[in-house]
Amino acid sequence: MSGATATLLFELGMEELPPGALDTLSDRLAEALADGLDRAGVSHGEVRALGAPRRLAVQIEAVARRQPDRDFERRGPARAVAFDETGAPTRAAEGFARSCGVDVDQLETLETDEGAWLVHRGTETGRDTDALLPALIDHALTQLPIPKRMRWGDQSSEFVRPVHWVVLMLDQAVVPTEVFGVASGRDSRGHRFHHPGPVRLADAGDYTAAMRAAHVLVDRTDRRDHILEGVRAEGEAIGGHAVIDTELLDEVNALVEWPVVLSGSFDEAFLRVPPEALISSMQGHQRYFPVRDAEGHLLPRFITVANIDSRDPARVIAGNERVIRPRLADAAFFWDQDRARTLESRLPALEQVVFQKQLGSIAEKSARVAALAARYAERFETDAHQAQRAARLAKADLLTEMVDEFPELQGVMGRYYAREDGEPAAVAAALDEIYQPRFAADAVAASPLGRLLAVAERADTLVGIFAIGKVPTGAKDPFALRRAAVGLLRSLIEGEHAIDLAALFQAAAAQQPAALAAAEQVEPLVEFCLERLRGVYQEAGYGAELFEAVRSVRAPGTLTPVDFDRRLRACHDFARLPAAGSLAAANKRIRNILRKAGSEIPATVDKTRLYEPAEQALESALESRTPAVEALIQRGAYSEALAQLAELREPVDRFFDQVMVMSDDPAIQANRLALLQRLQDQFLAIADVSALPESA
């Protein structure tokens, strides 16, 4: 070997991996191997996690060829017991020396506050990296998150798939080892069809180029980009734009080694079926990318990614077109069959579908949601009759053939079937919107009726599940209550609906089975939602101090999310004002002064007892702004109210510079405390700005 560093390559070749496992296993293998080198003290450069359907690989640059030498110090017995009265070594000293491989006279003394001790100091020679790698590889493989392992042949070891070849190299040299019974070497394997033979690697640094020549793109990012660019270009070439779902793109990327983008077509007659059903069929069953035109209408075309560069692409396309036709025909059949019955006709059957055994059937849940929606309809400026109607129909599409085949279309198909049944447009839209937001980046329902149903549905679920004792713990949340709470909070905040959660949960609890004592869960649920709200703001980049500034002035047991949001955003705006830091510090000082006062503070300020110009100026400034500030607070215009209060910076600063609050005269002292109390109350009517950083 030459040079102080080398490129390390480890490749594990196997049967095709589950597509959902490739990215995770590839990343974790690279992390575990790099961590092993770090723990061994072996320096290295860039770490690349590579992989394709039949291989996991890690390439690490500038790996030191050996560990550095390491100085060590091993502490032995105290000198008091290591030598007898004559100075001769005792058995304790001799035993320690023997264990260190030296003579007693080669040991040194370590002086500490606790006394003197024998020590053995030395330098441990670093090992060659190639000698360390087999153990590091074995350890890294044991760290992989493989939920379901398998055995093969006569091997006792287990892995995600049978292993067929192993490459382990440092630059041009093979590092001998054995992994799952397979000896390491320099021979990889190319594409199963384009290059079925071995690929002999001359140098670890040539790996990606050598594999590309063998029709395998091992860099996952490059392969994904290649697929993405190809699919987009093909969509434009056939007169539209490809519908690219990120999860589908990742799945396709994990299925192909040599992606070749092709497009095909299907019978235009299938376009009478709702586009979401056709898209679900193409994406879910065939892993095709649908195509839309410039207006967003679905085209009778699809894009597929083959794993072979065929000499006759037309045959590959024809084969895919033959495969997609029966899938789309099934979707069309489900559409026609489902429309033969109205959603309302399916409602009695919901009585036989269990939501949760202690909480009853889906029909009973729908009735609870309907009652809650009717109660809050006016608060959402919606029609109570429509709210009840939509709530009753919302789960009916669960019993349709289409949703049974494509569960992800729940709600979407309800909207289409409701339109076919002649339901009001608002009701039909709400059957889909009740599920919004479906995921973190999803929008809340666009209509007030949709937001009402989304809130009522989630409130019923939260109260019911809490009442049966299935509160989320740690990472366990089988009923997705955290997601439900966030969806409820976002619907209220973004829809600007001033609803108190305690009252909402009380109303929902009244609908639950009497044996559950659901009302006892209202306060814990409010706190649960408050913690979810904290997480929402943290993810949005708001500091924890803003959250605490608002939380601390909240009345116990209550939470109106939209009001909380307005206050927090007002604090965020206030914190950017030049006066914010000074007023935050002043409020901290006021809080401490009032806390230590120890006497009853008057309810009002006696102007006749204000003797100092600075206290008179503060009282005057506060008095002049109070009506406007209170009016703004009443309207929920908290940012404007804090902006008004920010103008008190100068008189507040002057007050503390020139006035002694704790006067020797008790009456003057009490009056000044009353002035500070009044000032603090103005701020506390919005938030505790003393929680904000003074450097804001």
Side-chain angles (χ1 to χ4, degrees), residues 435-443 458 483 486 490:
Y435 296 103
Q436 290 180 259
R438 287 179 167 86
F439 48 89
D442 195 19
R458 289 165 173 79
R483 186 172 63 193
V486 170
R490 284 189 56 203

Side-chain angles (χ1 to χ4, degrees), residues 13 20-21 132 407:
L132 298 170

Side-chain angles (χ1 to χ4, degrees), residues 260 262-263 309-320:
V260 177
L262 303 168
S263 62
D309 196 355
S310 175
R311 289 190 294 267
D312 188 1
R315 291 186 63 185
V316 178
I317 293 170
N320 280 279

Side-chain angles (χ1 to χ4, degrees), residues 279-432:
I279 290 173
S280 285
S281 184
M282 284 187 271
Q283 291 178 335
H285 287 149
Q286 303 304 132
R287 301 185 178 94
Y288 293 164
F289 295 91
V291 182
R292 294 185 185 272
D293 64 18
E295 285 73 43
H297 302 125
L298 197 64
L299 292 175
R301 304 299 299 269
F302 64 87
I303 297 172
T304 184
V305 180
N307 190 32
I308 189 170
D309 196 355
S310 175
R311 289 190 294 267
D312 188 1
R315 291 186 63 185
V316 178
I317 293 170
N320 280 279
E321 290 176 341
R322 283 195 302 272
V323 171
I324 193 61
R325 180 177 179 82
R327 295 295 192 183
L328 299 183
D330 285 345
F333 175 77
F334 297 147
W335 171 244
D336 293 336
Q337 285 291 102
D338 289 341
R339 289 160 62 216
R341 292 182 58 191
T342 64
L343 289 176
E344 186 169 24
S345 71
R346 300 177 187 274
L347 296 181
L350 288 177
E351 296 175 3
Q352 308 306 314
V353 182
V354 176
F355 167 62
Q356 200 282 336
K357 63 181 181 180
Q358 292 173 267
L359 300 174
S361 66
I362 293 289
E364 290 172 302
K365 177 175 175 58
S366 297
R368 294 195 298 266
V369 174
L372 191 59
R375 177 169 181 164
Y376 276 87
E378 185 177 350
R379 301 286 301 277
F380 281 75
E381 298 181 350
T382 61
D383 180 75
H385 174 73
Q386 286 192 346
Q388 287 182 300
R389 179 71 176 169
R392 288 185 62 238
L393 295 175
K395 302 296 181 183
D397 67 344
L398 285 173
L399 302 177
T400 62
E401 298 284 347
M402 190 74 82
V403 174
D404 185 61
E405 180 70 14
F406 303 109
E408 69 273 15
L409 294 182
Q410 182 180 354
V412 174
M413 295 313 302
R415 168 165 48 87
Y416 279 106
Y417 294 138
R419 288 178 183 173
E420 292 288 316
D421 294 347
E423 297 289 344
V427 170
L431 301 194
D432 187 6

Side-chain angles (χ1 to χ4, degrees), residues 648-688:
L648 295 173
R649 174 185 179 176
E650 192 275 332
V652 169
D653 286 347
R654 194 146 55 93
F655 175 87
F656 280 115
D657 286 342
Q658 301 177 13
V659 176
M660 176 67 70
V661 177
M662 306 308 285
S663 169
D664 294 335
D665 186 326
I668 294 175
Q669 180 187 119
N671 201 47
R672 288 172 179 170
L673 290 173
L675 178 60
L676 293 181
Q677 182 72 66
R678 183 178 173 190
L679 175 62
Q680 184 188 60
D681 289 346
Q682 287 282 286
F683 282 97
L684 290 179
I686 303 169
D688 182 6

Side-chain angles (χ1 to χ4, degrees), residues 543-590:
E545 67 278 355
L546 294 175
F547 184 87
E548 290 304 325
V550 180
R551 179 175 182 168
S552 61
V553 300
R554 178 184 61 95
T558 66
L559 176 60
T560 303
V562 68
D563 185 72
F564 193 103
D565 183 74
R566 289 171 183 164
R567 291 170 185 266
L568 183 136
R569 293 179 189 278
C571 286
H572 180 257
D573 293 341
F574 173 77
R576 293 184 292 180
L577 297 176
S582 176
L583 288 171
N587 271 271
K588 286 186 179 72
R589 188 171 180 181
I590 292 169

